[in-house]
Every structure is written in C-alpha cells, then in structure tokens.
Amino acid sequence: MANSEQTSAAELRDFLSGQVQRLTLLKRILVGLVILVCLALVGHMIYYFNMLTSMHYDVVTAESQVDSAIQYRVNLVPILVKSVTRFVDHEDYVFIKTVDARERSMNTPDALSKQLKASAGKPVQEVLDKILAIAEQYPALTTSGTFQLMMTQVTTAEAQVLTQRIDYNNKVNLYTTAMSVFPGNVYSKLFNFCNFKYFVGTKKSEWPLPAIQAERETIMDGVDGKR
C-alpha cells in the first residue's frame, strides 16, 4: 500500500515538473514573440519615418530649385532691359540730331526709353512684353546678336522654370499620397509631418525675388543717372 502511495507521489512530481517546464517554455516563446512584434513595429515606424523624411526633403529641394530657376530668369531681365535701353537711347540721340524735339510723339525713341525704364519693379512677364513691343519697332534691335542671345537665354530660363515646377508638383504628389494612405497617415500625424501645397498659379513666378528686385533698381538708377 505504501509502495503504491510512493509511486503515485513520484508520478505526480514528474507530472508537475513537466507542466512547469512546458509553461516555462511557453512563457519564453510568448516573450520572444512579443519582442519580435515590438522589433517589427519599431522597424516599421523607422522605415516610414525615414521614407516620409526623405520625401519631405525631396519636396524642399524641388521648391528651392523652382526658386533658383525663377531667380536665374529674373537675373537675365535687368541685363536685357539695360541692353535694350542703351539701344533705344542711341536711337533717341540720333533722332534728336535729325528731328525737331517738338515733333516727337509717344512712339519716339525717347518716349519708348522712358516707358522701358519705368518698367523697373514690374512683373517679369510685363517687362518682357514691353521689351518685345519696343523691339518690334526696331528691326536692327531684333536682328542684333546680343538681343537674340538674351532672348534665347530668357526663353530657356522660362522652360527651366516650367520643368522645375512640374518636378516640384510630382514630388508633392508622391509625398501627399504617402501621407494620405494607411499607415502613412498614422505616422505622419504621429511624427507631425507638415503638408506642402501644389504650385497652381503664375503670380508667384512673375514677381522678382527681393534681392533681384534691389539689383534691378540699382541697374535702372544707374541708367537714369547717365541720362
């Protein structure tokens, strides 16, 4: 009877010992799974943070390239204005020598020169339109190599501005889309990523940057001083 009770106790100890080992193993497995899930979640967050950050700076870079292209185009305008002004001033000088000043009208070189000089500070496109209107009245100006070269550079600069605008909008589209779909929308709010607006208008590009505006005024003041 005693042997039976001792055997039962030994079996019970073995059974309980096995259960403890199984529970310990299960606990380790669960802890390992929790650690793996946490690592995967952290890795996923890091991946999306890096991806959104990269897209963010791609948009910032594209925006600066748009500004650089606009600045380059506006830089060309004062040079073009100065070139045309000198040509018109020369025509004005010749005109004064050959025609009485009382016979001059708004279409004379002097009046055209004043119109051109008064364009300082105007939108770039308005200045270019005025230059083209004046150039139409001077065949010698339109055939001038310097004038043609400057107009070619302005046209190239305009195409570059358009290209950079398109590139900027494409990068904003990728960035905005990544922030709008799951789980990017969650991470963008979690990490407080800012939004960017699409370039939809032309007003911004038509106005000179402040530094360029100051440079243009300096050039035009110098031209006026020579008069």
Side-chain angles (χ1 to χ4, degrees), residues 164-174 198-199:
Q164 295 299 339
R165 288 176 186 167
I166 294 173
D167 182 63
Y168 169 79
N169 281 347
N170 287 338
K171 285 183 169 56
V172 170
N173 180 59
L174 292 175
Y198 289 96
F199 189 94

Side-chain angles (χ1 to χ4, degrees), residues 14-28:
D14 292 340
F15 174 77
L16 292 176
S17 176
Q19 291 295 104
V20 170
Q21 290 178 356
R22 283 192 289 269
L23 289 174
T24 302
L25 179 60
L26 180 61
K27 180 181 177 181
R28 290 177 180 176

Side-chain angles (χ1 to χ4, degrees), residues 59-71:
V59 175
V60 172
T61 301
E63 186 176 25
S64 67
Q65 289 174 344
V66 171
D67 289 337
S68 297
I70 293 172
Q71 182 176 359

Side-chain angles (χ1 to χ4, degrees), residues 5-20:
E5 291 178 353
Q6 289 178 355
T7 303
S8 298
E11 290 177 350
L12 180 60
R13 283 195 301 271
D14 292 340
F15 174 77
L16 292 176
S17 176
Q19 291 295 104
V20 170

Side-chain angles (χ1 to χ4, degrees), residues 5 9 11 14-17 30 35 97-98 103 142 150 157-158 170 177 195 197 200 213 215:
E5 291 178 353
E11 290 177 350
D14 292 340
F15 174 77
L16 292 176
S17 176
L30 290 176
I35 292 175
K97 293 296 184 180
T98 57
E103 298 179 5
T142 56
M150 289 302 303
E158 180 66 27
N170 287 338
T177 301
N195 293 314
K197 294 182 178 180
V200 295
Q213 176 60 33
E215 179 182 349

Side-chain angles (χ1 to χ4, degrees), residues 12-219:
L12 180 60
R13 283 195 301 271
D14 292 340
F15 174 77
L16 292 176
S17 176
Q19 291 295 104
V20 170
Q21 290 178 356
R22 283 192 289 269
L23 289 174
T24 302
L25 179 60
L26 180 61
K27 180 181 177 181
R28 290 177 180 176
I29 292 174
L30 290 176
V31 170
L33 289 176
V34 170
I35 292 175
L36 288 176
V37 170
C38 290
L39 290 176
L41 180 60
V42 171
H44 197 258
M45 292 174 63
I46 293 174
Y47 169 78
Y48 263 87
F49 176 81
N50 290 339
M51 183 185 72
L52 292 176
T53 300
S54 178
M55 289 184 173
H56 171 88
Y57 283 108
D58 283 344
V59 175
V60 172
T61 301
E63 186 176 25
S64 67
Q65 289 174 344
V66 171
D67 289 337
S68 297
I70 293 172
Q71 182 176 359
Y72 173 70
R73 184 186 66 172
V74 176
N75 265 334
L76 294 174
V77 175
I79 302 174
L80 183 59
V81 169
K82 189 174 183 180
S83 175
V84 175
T85 300
R86 285 179 175 176
F87 180 88
V88 174
D89 284 343
H90 175 72
E91 293 296 307
D92 182 30
Y93 175 78
V94 174
F95 193 81
I96 291 174
K97 293 296 184 180
T98 57
V99 181
D100 190 279
R102 291 175 299 179
E103 298 179 5
R104 298 154 96 192
S105 66
M106 286 302 294
N107 290 325
T108 62
D110 179 64
L112 294 174
S113 179
K114 289 180 179 179
Q115 292 177 34
L116 186 58
K117 292 172 185 178
S119 64
K122 300 294 184 181
V124 172
Q125 191 57 50
E126 184 177 329
V127 176
L128 292 177
D129 289 342
K130 190 176 292 294
I131 289 174
L132 292 175
I134 292 175
E136 289 179 356
Q137 303 183 41
Y138 297 95
L141 175 61
T142 56
T143 58
S144 168
T146 301
F147 180 80
Q148 291 181 350
L149 176 61
M150 289 302 303
M151 289 304 299
T152 299
Q153 291 180 344
V154 170
T155 302
T156 302
E158 180 66 27
Q160 185 65 21
V161 169
L162 178 59
T163 300
Q164 295 299 339
R165 288 176 186 167
I166 294 173
D167 182 63
Y168 169 79
N169 281 347
N170 287 338
K171 285 183 169 56
V172 170
N173 180 59
L174 292 175
Y175 177 69
T176 303
T177 301
M179 290 178 58
S180 301
V181 298
F182 182 83
N185 56 344
V186 176
Y187 292 136
S188 63
K189 292 180 180 179
L190 179 64
F191 297 119
N192 197 28
F193 279 92
C194 64
N195 293 314
F196 287 94
K197 294 182 178 180
Y198 289 96
F199 189 94
V200 295
T202 58
K203 294 297 182 184
K204 176 182 176 182
S205 68
E206 300 304 341
W207 287 96
L209 302 179
I212 304 304
Q213 176 60 33
E215 179 182 349
R216 177 188 295 177
E217 290 175 353
T218 301
I219 293 176

